[in-house]
Amino acid sequence: MITLFKIKRYNEKLSNEKVFFRIFLLLVLVFVCEEINGQTLLGNYTFTGLSTSTGPASRLLASNVASNVSFSTYNKNILTINAQSSIDDNVFSVKPSTGDFGSVINTNMYEEFSVTPNSGYYLNLSSITFRISRTTSGATSFSIRSSVDSFVSDLSTGTISTTYVTKTIPLTGNSFSAVTYRIYFYGASSTGFVRIDDVAFNGSISCTPPQNVSVTPSTATVCEGTITALTTSGGTSITNTTNIIGTSNNVISPLSYGPNPLNSWYGGTKVQMIYTAAELTAIGLVNGGTISSVGLYVNNFVSSDCTDLTIRMKNTNSTVLTGFETGTSDVYGPLTFTPSAAGWVNFSLATIFVWTGENIIVEFVHNSNNTGNGDGTYTRYTSTSENSTYYTMKDDAGVGISGFDSTSLTTGTFFSSVSKKRPNIQFGFPTVTTNPITWTPVSGLYTNSSATSAYTTGTNTTTLYAKPTITKIYTATAKTTSGCSTTGSCTITVNPNPSTTLIYHQ
């Protein structure tokens, strides 16, 4: 903390030098304080510009946004903004759209915002700060969760008082993609207001350096005048990409039989879908590449648990499904998943899946071993020309996923079918970008093996030919479009040619 002492005003005027010196000391102290705190403001929501006559739309954008990062509009779900009283001008004041806050967290009731680093950059997470208060009948507690774990765990919880209190939520780690944060309010059975203001996201933004660069000479020790080839490897950039297979907006009708992997109408559900090698190639996946996440598009949702949700995958030569294929491997779960929002729901795989160039099967299975947790969650699908989906729904199938796997499909309440209605899917996988390679020093470097064409400063090439006259260190630099670079070097040791002495005998 910095304490500024009031400077006693003397009758005589301070010299300009003394004034400037004191200002300089103050700036240094502020700078040191910011460095010690380790926080830099990347963007904040001040909610300024609202009055009871203009409405809330003008105040939901972030301000003071740093370079190479973007913020979403500040949003809400089943909450109503209060813009009827001047006391709620220039703050985000909300109450439940229907009912009350409830005594426990309602995962459908929240405020949210997203932070996204630009391509080639990543976020260093530090903290979220905000001011919060409530009316006497408003929610008494809050919780913050993030999309990193699909909003399962609390990053922080706290109480809400009737006077404004500043809260600081510490964050850790890095993120190379967008992160969404949700604030939930609960702990009141009435419909009062919660007021939040000055929501700030703190951290830093860094460009992502290329992979390590290695420089390999064909010969590391040479005689003077000998030509040796220099070749690089590495220096590429790896970026996480998500691409979609299936673009139609079709939705299975409510209470209808159909392939809905996240629906809990029955006590348990298993769905297998085939996606073809041609489709995977078209979205940018390469043979031998890895898949790190799988997502489905939720068109409508209810908060009905998908108990022990498990995702399995398999490379296959099959082109159609007539029943469940065996041999799929667990890549996610079992973890209970509760739908909480419409849109893409992505599941980060616990085990990375390696694609071998064939078609693949993706399987979703969950089981509550009851008669169902409720209908209402529907994923979007696209129709295919073949039976690309097979699914089973059954009540009281047994305990856990193993119980569903071994359940009999001849007794009990169940339904099984093939279908051409295949759920739209989003795959996440890394893509490799080749960065330009430049060399220093340029003396003694050539672009051809006979060393007659001199290398020009800044020219991109992965292979050069060195003809040094003395021992030299050559450095190759890979540089991204964001300006981050990685270097690699090698030493070429030059042994001088032996001198020749001619002796003349008379």
Side-chain angles (χ1 to χ4, degrees):
M1 177 180 292
I2 299 173
T3 303
L4 300 180
F5 296 95
K6 183 181 290 184
I7 301 173
K8 185 177 179 181
R9 186 172 183 178
Y10 296 96
N11 291 332
E12 62 271 22
K13 298 175 67 175
L14 292 172
S15 67
N16 288 337
E17 290 80 3
K18 289 182 179 179
V19 173
F20 291 148
F21 180 69
R22 289 180 177 177
I23 293 174
F24 172 76
L25 285 178
L26 176 60
L27 292 175
V28 168
L29 287 171
V30 171
F31 174 78
V32 170
C33 182
E34 289 183 350
E35 287 299 306
I36 292 173
N37 288 339
Q39 297 186 9
T40 301
L41 177 66
L42 293 183
N44 62 341
Y45 298 90
T46 59
F47 308 116
T48 56
L50 174 73
S51 68
T52 54
S53 60
T54 61
S58 61
R59 66 175 181 174
L60 302 182
L61 299 178
S63 56
N64 303 307
V65 177
S67 300
N68 302 309
V69 65
S70 61
F71 284 75
S72 69
T73 299
Y74 199 86
N75 210 343
K76 60 182 176 56
N77 197 57
I78 65 169
L79 290 169
T80 299
I81 295 176
N82 178 32
Q84 306 304 314
S85 171
S86 60
I87 196 173
D88 290 314
D89 288 353
N90 302 312
V91 299
F92 199 77
S93 178
V94 294
K95 67 176 183 178
S97 298
T98 58
D100 54 47
F101 285 108
S103 59
V104 296
I105 291 176
N106 178 350
T107 55
N108 297 323
M109 186 185 298
Y110 53 82
E111 300 175 3
E112 72 172 8
F113 67 95
S114 299
V115 188
T116 306
N118 288 3
S119 178
Y121 293 83
Y122 65 92
L123 294 168
N124 302 293
L125 310 177
S126 179
S127 69
I128 297 171
T129 62
F130 54 87
R131 298 192 310 124
I132 191 169
S133 71
R134 62 178 174 89
T135 59
T136 55
S137 57
T140 57
S141 300
F142 73 88
S143 168
I144 294 187
R145 300 178 179 182
S146 81
S147 59
V148 173
D149 66 349
S150 299
F151 309 103
V152 172
S153 304
D154 294 328
L155 294 176
S156 181
T157 59
T159 58
I160 308 172
S161 68
T162 54
T163 57
Y164 276 106
V165 175
T166 298
K167 304 287 185 177
T168 299
I169 313 302
L171 304 174
T172 58
N174 303 320
S175 179
F176 292 81
S177 56
V179 183
T180 300
Y181 295 93
R182 289 179 180 171
I183 307 176
Y184 303 89
F185 307 120
Y186 61 99
S189 58
S190 57
T191 58
F193 288 91
V194 173
R195 299 177 177 122
I196 199 166
D197 196 13
D198 298 325
V199 179
F201 185 86
N202 305 300
S204 61
I205 188 81
S206 302
C207 65
T208 307
Q211 301 294 300
N212 291 337
V213 177
S214 296
V215 181
T216 304
S218 57
T219 306
T221 301
V222 298
C223 292
E224 183 180 350
T226 301
I227 301 169
T228 184
L230 306 179
T231 305
T232 63
S233 60
T236 56
S237 293
I238 299 177
T239 305
N240 291 322
T241 300
T242 56
N243 274 318
I244 299 165
I245 296 177
T247 56
S248 296
N249 296 332
N250 303 320
V251 182
I252 299 292
S253 301
L255 295 176
S256 297
Y257 297 110
N260 259 316
L262 302 180
N263 191 290
S264 298
W265 184 20
Y266 278 72
T269 296
K270 180 190 285 189
V271 182
Q272 283 189 353
M273 302 92 74
I274 284 184
Y275 300 91
T276 69
E279 291 173 318
L280 295 166
T281 300
I283 64 171
L285 200 63
V286 297
N287 189 353
T290 58
I291 295 174
S292 57
S293 67
V294 173
L296 298 173
Y297 193 97
V298 174
N299 193 81
N300 308 85
F301 76 96
V302 294
S303 299
S304 299
D305 287 348
C306 298
T307 305
D308 290 338
L309 177 67
T310 300
I311 303 173
R312 298 164 171 163
M313 298 179 70
K314 174 188 176 181
N315 291 289
T316 182
N317 289 320
S318 300
T319 57
V320 297
L321 288 172
T322 57
F324 289 126
E325 279 207 14
T326 59
T328 56
S329 299
D330 292 3
V331 293
Y332 175 91
L335 291 171
T336 295
F337 169 72
T338 305
S340 60
W344 284 106
V345 178
N346 290 299
F347 301 92
S348 296
L349 304 185
T351 302
I352 300 299
F353 180 79
V354 179
W355 181 49
T356 59
E358 305 163 274
N359 300 336
I360 66 171
I361 289 176
V362 180
E363 174 186 310
F364 281 75
V365 56
H366 55 90
N367 181 31
S368 298
N369 190 29
N370 58 13
T371 57
N373 294 330
D375 184 51
T377 299
Y378 310 112
T379 52
R380 291 182 180 178
Y381 73 88
T382 298
S383 294
T384 59
S385 59
E386 304 287 347
N387 288 326
S388 54
T389 304
Y390 187 83
Y391 62 100
T392 290
M393 304 177 290
K394 186 176 181 179
D395 288 338
D396 301 314
V399 177
I401 299 305
S402 61
F404 196 93
D405 288 336
S406 60
T407 190
S408 170
L409 295 182
T410 59
T411 60
T413 303
F414 70 94
F415 182 84
S416 294
S417 180
V418 296
S419 179
K420 296 179 180 179
K421 299 174 179 178
R422 188 184 63 184
N424 299 345
I425 199 163
Q426 182 169 255
F427 290 111
F429 53 92
T431 57
V432 179
T433 301
T434 301
N435 295 303
I437 302 286
T438 58
W439 298 77
T440 55
V442 298
S443 61
L445 290 180
Y446 300 86
T447 59
N448 61 331
S449 59
S450 58
T452 57
S453 179
Y455 172 73
T456 304
T457 301
T459 302
N460 171 30
T461 182
T462 57
T463 301
L464 282 177
Y465 300 88
K467 188 181 178 181
T469 56
I470 58 174
T471 297
K472 278 190 178 180
I473 298 175
Y474 289 105
T475 299
T477 300
K479 191 173 186 178
T480 68
T481 55
S482 304
C484 273
S485 61
T486 299
T487 62
S489 301
C490 75
T491 300
I492 304 299
T493 302
V494 177
N495 293 327
N497 292 325
S499 59
T500 304
T501 302
L502 181 64
I503 301 175
Y504 177 71
H505 296 276
Q506 190 170 8

